[in-house]
Amino acid sequence: MTLKDIAKEAGVSVSTVSRVINNTGSNAASQEVRERIWEIVRRNGYIPNSSAQSLRMGKNENIISSHSLTCLFARTPSAPSNPFFATIAKSVETEAYKYNYFLKSSFTSFNINNIESYQMLQASTNGVVILGRCDKTTLKYIKEFCHYVIYTGLNPLDAKYDQILCDGYQATVTALDYLHQLGHQHIGYVGETEDENRYRGYCAFLKEKQLPFDSTYVAHVPLTSSGGYDGTMTLLRQQPSLTAIFCGDDITAIGVLRAINDFGLKVPDDLSVISIDDIEMAQFLSPMLTTIHVPMEEMGRLAAKMLIDRINGGHTLPMKINLPFYLAKRESCAKPRSS
């Protein structure tokens, strides 16, 4: 297969295909076109050789690589549904491609034990990128069948693997400190709580600042929009003193914003909302969402680089890299309403 073949099947120009697979220019093509091109690349195992990478179209481009990586979406039953993990996975794919690796397949912890996943891990991939924290069962499976593994997420993994991290605990503290500086005393939590750094950060911050806290301030829900909606409805009914809500991630915050509106309140006049991730959608919500920016693309790039380096014998000891975050101030936070 050549670039011309990919372009013909995708219904685009050769130059568009080249820009997409070489990640040159953020406006190389629409999201739909990019996904179509990468699907063709994955299906055919196309990897350009050095002359192809020099962009001399149609010359000596034909190569099928035996080098491949796999992504494990450990926190979601539907891999593409969460834009946070989908963005990281796409960055893994783009970066791996530069080293003549392609992302052959992706799967979730919900289907890891089926025979197809077993066969793929045993024979069809060189390494696995774990996206999001694993439960013990999944981690045991990975340890048994995968030799080269890297993890990336907001919670450190209790395993001797390379890890690319953005500290969910400190990100939460930063978000809550911003709310506290605005004057908020009654801050709710919507998200997961079990073995979760974000919840630990929430509890620790409230304790340090001696802010009000009991079970009525917390909604333990999945990190989904529907979870955010249901959790917020529960909080608003049982804790009318709330002036702000911290959300485990932006997807959850979408449901939180909708629930507040349906409850007859306004953001940020009645309630401030803040979260973590800074997915692309966050700045297109109304009001625009204040959130902690997590460097998703860099997490994916570094995960691919470090995993391939380990596969190639570049390092042997487990390594951890912590990436910085920052507060993206937008429209969903303001001073608390006057009583």
Side-chain angles (χ1 to χ4, degrees):
M1 169 165 278
T2 68
L3 291 180
K4 290 181 180 178
D5 296 327
I6 297 173
K8 182 177 180 181
E9 185 172 344
V12 297
S13 68
V14 174
S15 60
T16 296
V17 173
S18 176
R19 287 196 298 271
V20 168
I21 65 178
N22 287 287
N23 196 32
T24 55
S26 58
N27 298 319
S30 68
Q31 181 65 29
E32 180 183 357
V33 169
R34 292 198 299 271
E35 291 294 338
R36 188 159 68 243
I37 291 172
W38 279 113
E39 191 280 326
I40 297 169
V41 168
R42 285 193 294 269
R43 175 160 33 88
N44 292 279
Y46 171 82
I47 297 288
N49 60 22
S50 57
S51 60
Q53 290 181 338
S54 71
L55 304 185
R56 290 181 291 184
M57 308 303 182
K59 296 182 181 180
N60 300 320
E61 295 168 346
N62 198 34
I63 182 170
I64 300 296
S65 172
S66 61
H67 301 302
S68 65
L69 303 180
T70 295
C71 278
L72 165 61
F73 289 78
R75 295 293 294 276
T76 172
S78 178
S81 67
N82 189 305
F84 175 78
F85 293 118
T87 299
I88 295 176
K90 179 55 64 178
S91 184
V92 168
E93 181 172 44
T94 302
E95 187 66 26
Y97 200 75
K98 298 176 182 177
Y99 297 89
N100 287 355
Y101 281 75
F102 68 99
L103 193 62
K104 188 168 186 178
S105 54
S106 298
F107 59 101
T108 77
S109 58
F110 293 82
N111 60 18
I112 192 172
N113 289 308
N114 65 37
I115 187 63
E116 292 180 359
S117 297
Y118 171 81
Q119 291 173 339
M120 177 197 64
L121 289 173
Q122 285 288 77
S124 302
T125 190
N126 296 95
V128 175
V129 182
I130 302 175
L131 306 178
R133 188 182 67 249
C134 283
D135 58 35
K136 292 181 179 180
T137 301
T138 302
L139 191 57
K140 180 179 178 181
Y141 186 94
I142 291 292
K143 286 180 178 178
E144 184 175 356
F145 297 114
C146 305
H147 187 56
Y148 299 112
V149 178
I150 193 167
Y151 162 81
T152 184
L154 302 183
N155 291 276
L157 202 63
D158 185 18
K160 294 181 179 180
Y161 291 142
D162 293 328
Q163 301 186 42
I164 306 296
L165 305 168
C166 187
D167 193 335
Y169 183 101
Q170 290 300 329
T172 299
V173 169
T174 297
L176 295 174
D177 187 61
Y178 177 60
L179 292 175
H180 189 244
Q181 288 179 30
L182 289 173
H184 291 279
Q185 301 286 316
H186 299 273
I187 305 170
Y189 177 96
V190 178
E192 297 181 356
T193 60
E194 186 176 355
D195 295 326
E196 174 54 60
N197 261 2
R198 281 161 281 192
Y199 183 63
R200 293 190 187 101
Y202 168 81
C203 293
F205 184 86
L206 265 58
K207 182 178 181 180
E208 178 187 348
K209 301 298 182 181
Q210 298 182 332
L211 299 180
F213 173 72
D214 59 40
S215 61
T216 63
Y217 283 78
V218 178
H220 171 64
V221 296
L223 295 178
T224 63
S225 294
S226 59
Y229 184 94
D230 294 340
T232 301
M233 282 297 190
T234 299
L235 287 188
L236 293 177
R237 293 188 185 105
Q238 68 188 19
Q239 186 48 262
S241 298
L242 290 180
T243 62
I245 293 178
F246 169 80
C247 312
D249 67 3
D250 293 349
I251 289 297
T252 304
I254 292 172
V256 172
L257 291 173
R258 176 62 184 270
I260 293 171
N261 180 74
D262 287 356
F263 202 80
L265 301 175
K266 292 184 178 180
V267 177
D269 297 346
D270 299 307
L271 277 165
S272 290
V273 176
I274 195 167
S275 64
I276 292 179
D277 280 354
D278 198 17
I279 60 176
E280 184 178 12
M281 191 186 308
Q283 57 188 312
F284 295 103
L285 297 172
S286 181
M288 291 188 292
L289 183 63
T290 298
T291 184
I292 299 294
H293 177 86
V294 176
M296 294 168 276
E297 293 186 356
E298 191 63 25
M299 290 170 75
R301 282 196 292 268
L302 284 176
K305 284 183 178 180
M306 189 177 291
L307 179 57
I308 293 170
D309 184 70
R310 176 171 287 278
I311 292 171
N312 292 333
H315 69 284
T316 56
L317 295 176
M319 297 179 62
K320 287 186 180 181
I321 295 179
N322 278 284
L323 297 182
F325 55 82
Y326 64 81
L327 175 64
K329 297 181 183 179
R330 299 196 180 103
E331 299 172 344
S332 65
C333 291
K335 293 181 179 181
R337 63 184 183 273
S338 56
S339 302

